[in-house]
Amino acid sequence: MIDRGFHHDGSPDHVSTEAPEPGETVTVFVRTPRGHRSGVHVRTTPDGEPHFAEAVIDRETERETWWRADIVARNQVTGYRFLIGGPDGYRWLTASGLATHDVPDTTDFRLVTHTAPPEWAAGGVIYQIFPDRFASSGTARDLPPWAIPRGWDDPVAGSGPDTSRQIFGGDLDGVRSRLDHITALGADTLYLTPVFPAASNHRYNASSFAEVDPLLGGDAAYRALIDEVHRRGMRILGDLTTNHCGDTHAWFQAALRDKGAAEREMFFFTDDDLGYEAWMGVPSLPKLDWSSERLARAMEEVVRGWLRFGLDGWRIDVANMTGRLRQADHAHEVARRIRRAMNDECPDRLLVAEHAHDATGDLDVGGWQGTMNYAGFTRPVWSWLRGPEVHLPFLGVPAEVPRIGGGDAVATIRAFSGHMSWRSLVHSWSILGSHDTARIRTICGGDPALVEVAAGLMLTLPGTPMVFAGDEIGLEGAWGEDSRRTMPWDRPERWDQGTFGVYRDLIALRRGEAALRHGGLRWLHVSEDAVVYLRERAGERLLILAARAAHRPVRLPLGARCLPVYGDAELSPEPDGTVALPADGPAFHIWRLARN
């Protein structure tokens, strides 16, 4: 688990560029314990054939030796690993850690020459909004026949036939009126679930991709929101269903009416009772056929058109299923086409994929620039911090959320991060919950101290934090529909101001510390109830302790004073250079290691 002083990651301290051009020479650095003299080599596989280059000593510190080597980004993805010599043979250092045996190439570090994500993205904090439940401008609008009107303070129907039909009246002017709350929290990027017209409150069954739902205020309200977001120096992301549309969409209606219609090729028609392929068999969500060039061109224009309107990027719904059906698999082609369309319009835009399980095989292929990191962040954090008496379903698994130790949680995080490039990792969203899941407050059994630990992990581990609106004030919800509760703007007694302060302070800390936005990661200690890690950038070192419960004291050979950054305990080394960390819990601490 802990790599005994041998370390490399893809952060700027260890790689001369995170966005190499094809054929560019990149200098990589690896750290070993001071005094290691058994040799270090870097292995690449240009054009599929292994090649070794000897590393040389670049510099030494009191405790470490830094080695450097040059490699060429010869292919679109150039994998590399380090061969560490020793008296008893060799070891491999890959993105999954140090191994004393041969390991597959899939865990190699990666240089990627595909279009890099925009520079602003990795340093941001995303704030997710489900428009119908966030805020209302109070504008009276006529509801369509399918809609069931609800009062703002009414309870959400968390299950049953009315769940998608209940309308609470949130709209885009309401979002605009509450931007002060989001800026006070410190988030700088809005992500709104779909705003296209649809016969549901969630709008994932769009009847058009060409306009904004009049129930939300239409195009004019979206224009006003985007302009105000940009005036404040913020960004805004859209949500697009590339896997399906709604059964009321003009494309699908044309295909239904006439078997000879040009739109017919855009869908999968069948001989079964439904007559067409639909997402998960849901009739209102006909699946799109990406073998159709007509569809591809139409969707590319949707992507470009809303970027011209002012969006700063897209989150792609059900990206894991897009372009995939039985023997057909166009998923990577779809991702690349969307990315090329965005590059043609404006390359400084972000493209992130929804993926509920292992997304690593769909990253680093020139399309999606990151994922909603349910597998490599949400699931291990939930499982480590789950309240002892909580019994909830586990993100699509026919089992309850397990309760695991810190060792298994960190092993899960490393297992997934070890199969993607560093830049895909830091542009993937670290999420504690979303409109599709339970809320973190409920997962933690209502314990605000455990929520603080969860928020600390989200805001200090590599990845782009995404806050689901309401988590910052302690809203609860046991599953996706139940978590889509309205923001209680006029009910301050429902706000947990302590939790809001935790989120605000941790976001401010992340925005102020380059090591948290762009630094590398080193795991120092892992036990059942506590984990300790370093974030490092350009000589700055932040020591972070997350504990779910009181635990045995942790002593680390840090050899430096630890100055409190989050928390109030200053720590000094003992004569032997070790530092004893607090043993309380649940608790979250951050210290700055004093420079020698």
Side-chain angles (χ1 to χ4, degrees), residues 2 43 72 149 210 246 296 304 336 353 429 499 561:
I2 307 303
R43 193 207 74 171
V72 176
R304 291 192 189 98
R336 285 190 285 263
W429 293 357
T499 293
R561 289 171 56 222

Side-chain angles (χ1 to χ4, degrees), residues 97-338:
L98 192 67
T100 56
H101 54 85
D102 288 347
V103 292
D105 293 357
T106 52
T107 63
D108 281 1
F109 302 106
R110 302 180 189 185
L111 296 175
V112 181
T113 63
H114 296 299
T115 303
E119 291 186 6
W120 55 265
V125 175
I126 313 291
Y127 190 82
Q128 184 196 7
I129 291 173
F130 190 83
D132 182 58
R133 310 295 160 79
F134 183 66
S136 172
S137 66
T139 302
R141 296 186 174 93
D142 293 333
L143 295 182
W146 59 263
I148 300 173
R150 303 299 302 267
W152 194 256
D153 293 323
D154 288 347
V156 169
S159 61
D162 293 345
T163 55
S164 66
R165 300 171 59 206
Q166 53 189 342
I167 293 293
F168 285 78
D171 56 20
L172 298 176
D173 285 336
V175 174
R176 183 161 55 91
S177 73
R178 296 295 180 175
L179 289 178
D180 283 349
H181 169 81
I182 299 169
T183 56
L185 181 66
D188 58 8
T189 303
L190 298 190
Y191 153 49
L192 274 63
T193 56
V195 299
F196 302 120
S200 69
N201 53 38
H202 55 73
R203 298 181 172 87
Y204 283 100
N205 54 333
S207 60
S208 170
F209 294 126
E211 60 184 324
V212 173
D213 195 333
L215 288 180
L216 295 177
D219 288 9
Y222 206 28
R223 171 81 281 145
L225 173 61
I226 291 172
D227 288 347
E228 179 60 18
V229 164
H230 288 161
R231 189 190 69 79
R232 292 170 179 251
M234 301 167 69
R235 312 274 180 170
I236 184 167
L237 307 175
D239 195 337
L240 182 63
T241 57
T242 55
N243 177 72
H244 55 264
C245 65
D247 62 348
T248 58
H249 197 287
W251 298 346
F252 187 67
Q253 286 297 307
L256 277 180
R257 286 193 302 268
D258 180 4
K259 290 185 178 181
E263 291 85 356
R264 190 83 175 178
E265 70 175 50
M266 301 165 74
F267 301 91
F268 297 92
F269 286 93
T270 65
D271 295 327
D272 60 16
D273 291 341
L274 183 58
Y276 55 90
E277 292 287 346
W279 178 78
M280 304 294 285
V282 178
S284 63
L285 301 175
K287 186 175 177 66
L288 298 169
D289 183 357
W290 276 87
S291 69
S292 164
E293 185 62 24
R294 182 183 185 89
L295 172 72
R297 290 196 302 268
M299 291 301 290
E300 287 172 356
E301 184 51 38
V302 171
V303 167
R304 291 192 189 98
W306 290 104
L307 294 183
R308 288 194 293 269
F309 195 84
L311 289 182
D312 295 293
W314 288 104
R315 176 265 197 189
I316 301 298
D317 180 65
V318 201
N320 54 301
M321 296 181 71
T322 293
R324 288 180 168 132
L325 183 66
R326 293 187 287 274
Q327 288 77 28
D329 190 344
H330 304 287
H332 292 178
E333 175 189 347
V334 173
R336 285 190 285 263
R337 289 193 72 144
I338 294 174

Side-chain angles (χ1 to χ4, degrees), residues 82 103 174 254 256 261 280 283 290 333 360 365 378 394 400 405 427 437 472 484 532 538 596:
F82 295 95
V103 292
L256 277 180
M280 304 294 285
W290 276 87
E333 175 189 347
T360 58
V365 296
T378 314
F394 190 33
E400 292 183 350
H427 290 94
T437 77
E472 75 277 15
R484 300 175 188 179
V532 183
N596 295 331

Side-chain angles (χ1 to χ4, degrees), residues 8-83:
H8 173 87
D9 55 50
S11 66
D13 282 359
H14 298 90
V15 179
S16 60
T17 177
E18 296 177 86
E21 295 294 327
E24 182 176 352
T25 297
V26 179
T27 302
V28 295
F29 299 87
V30 64
R31 298 147 76 170
T32 70
R34 182 180 173 93
H36 177 84
R37 291 293 186 272
S38 298
V40 174
H41 290 76
V42 62
R43 193 207 74 171
T44 56
T45 52
D47 304 328
E49 181 67 18
H51 172 78
F52 289 85
E54 186 173 5
V56 299
I57 293 176
D58 182 77
R59 62 191 183 276
E60 291 190 304
T61 67
E62 180 181 349
R63 295 174 178 270
E64 295 179 317
T65 299
W66 287 70
W67 303 71
R68 75 172 188 275
D70 289 338
I71 59 179
V72 176
R74 182 180 177 91
N75 305 116
Q76 290 181 321
V77 178
T78 297
Y80 65 98
R81 59 170 63 191
F82 295 95
L83 181 76

